[in-house]
Amino acid sequence: ETGVTQSPTHLIKTRGQQVTLRCSSQSGHNTVSWYQQALGQGPQFIFQYYREEENGRGNFPPRFSGLQFPNYSSELNVNALELDDSALYLCASSWIGTETEAFFGQGTRLTVV
Amino acid sequence: QKEVEQDPGPLSVPEGAIVSLNCTYSNSAFQYFMWYRQYSRKGPELLMYTYSSGNKEDGRFTAQVDKSSKYISLFIRDSQPSDSATYLCAINVGAAGNKLTFGGGTRVLVKP
């Protein structure tokens, strides 16, 4: 186990609703990144948080937003859910000075109906 | 064109065989090259990473990078049924921290 925990593990939402996913980073890590993994595809980078601020963003619309808290945990919020938002959402924590090793949580599987 | 291309498989091999996986990439600025293993319903776990062209070995795993061809490989020797998983290559620029660009993943099935 990596020490990165995500909650909830599964959830089902209706199109148009809003959802909040949570991530607790590994002890000692100060950076959290979020990824979206559609079925049968590789993870896609959503954004990264460092020092409670967004530190880079992938090709995702503004309805995907996030927060990082002083204890380095993080939230991913998605507004106005669409069917295509159904995916596994992965959180990865790392230390900003380490260029290579990111530890992933087990993911939250979101189904939008 | 995707930045990182990976054959989706599935790749089915008998136990004990060598598994050969590869990815191609388009951005010559990429510096760090990683292989992740992902079991069903789990998050990816880091297997190996390399920085420079050449080979890196860790137990049954060998990672190979050819920057001139923009081609990376992972070899698994003496494959076991427990190696059955999806293998993801991931690359980053380095200066941007850990923002990873992943390939689509290759499913591997090792049959007893």
Side-chain angles (χ1 to χ4, degrees):
Chain A
E1 296 299 322
T2 63
V4 181
T5 58
Q6 293 186 240
S7 63
T9 53
H10 300 85
L11 75 166
I12 300 174
K13 289 286 189 177
T14 302
R15 187 172 50 182
Q17 284 188 315
Q18 178 266 342
V19 68
T20 297
L21 311 181
R22 296 177 175 82
C23 171
S24 294
S25 60
Q26 182 164 308
S27 177
H29 285 178
N30 59 5
T31 302
V32 173
S33 301
W34 286 92
Y35 293 81
Q36 180 195 64
Q37 186 176 24
L39 195 62
Q41 298 183 23
Q44 299 288 316
F45 174 74
I46 303 175
F47 44 54
Q48 181 184 76
Y49 275 83
Y50 170 61
R51 290 185 175 178
E52 303 177 46
E53 293 192 357
E54 190 177 288
N55 181 41
R57 188 180 186 93
N59 189 26
F60 281 83
R63 59 189 185 84
F64 286 79
S65 63
L67 286 172
Q68 187 182 30
F69 300 99
N71 66 354
Y72 305 127
S73 66
S74 177
E75 287 182 355
L76 165 65
N77 299 291
V78 187
N79 293 322
L81 284 167
E82 301 177 359
L83 297 179
D84 285 348
D85 295 333
S86 296
L88 181 68
Y89 287 85
L90 295 163
C91 163
S93 79
S94 59
W95 178 256
I96 193 71
T98 302
E99 302 291 7
T100 55
E101 195 151 10
F103 293 96
F104 283 83
Q106 82 282 8
T108 294
R109 183 160 299 282
L110 171 65
T111 302
V112 182
V113 297
Chain B
Q1 182 189 9
K2 292 183 178 180
E3 285 190 285
V4 182
E5 298 276 4
Q6 187 175 5
D7 189 325
L11 180 61
S12 182
V13 300
E15 183 175 356
I18 295 176
V19 176
S20 175
L21 304 165
N22 57 73
C23 288
T24 58
Y25 63 95
S26 56
N27 187 348
S28 58
F30 285 138
Q31 297 176 291
Y32 292 89
F33 308 90
M34 285 141 281
W35 286 95
Y36 282 84
R37 177 175 63 194
Q38 186 175 28
Y39 291 113
S40 181
R41 303 181 183 279
K42 299 287 188 181
E45 59 175 317
L46 181 66
L47 286 175
M48 297 188 70
Y49 72 86
T50 57
Y51 173 73
S52 58
S53 284
N55 293 353
K56 182 177 180 179
E57 201 170 302
D58 184 1
R60 297 186 295 114
F61 298 92
T62 298
Q64 198 172 74
V65 174
D66 182 347
K67 286 187 175 181
S68 62
S69 301
K70 300 189 183 70
Y71 191 89
I72 64 172
S73 301
L74 178 71
F75 301 97
I76 307 173
R77 292 183 299 282
D78 187 25
S79 58
Q80 305 295 311
S82 58
D83 294 325
S84 298
T86 295
Y87 289 81
L88 298 155
C89 62
I91 307 176
N92 76 3
V93 177
N98 297 103
K99 299 164 195 173
L100 300 169
T101 301
F102 282 87
T106 299
R107 278 186 57 208
V108 172
L109 178 60
V110 181
K111 295 183 175 179

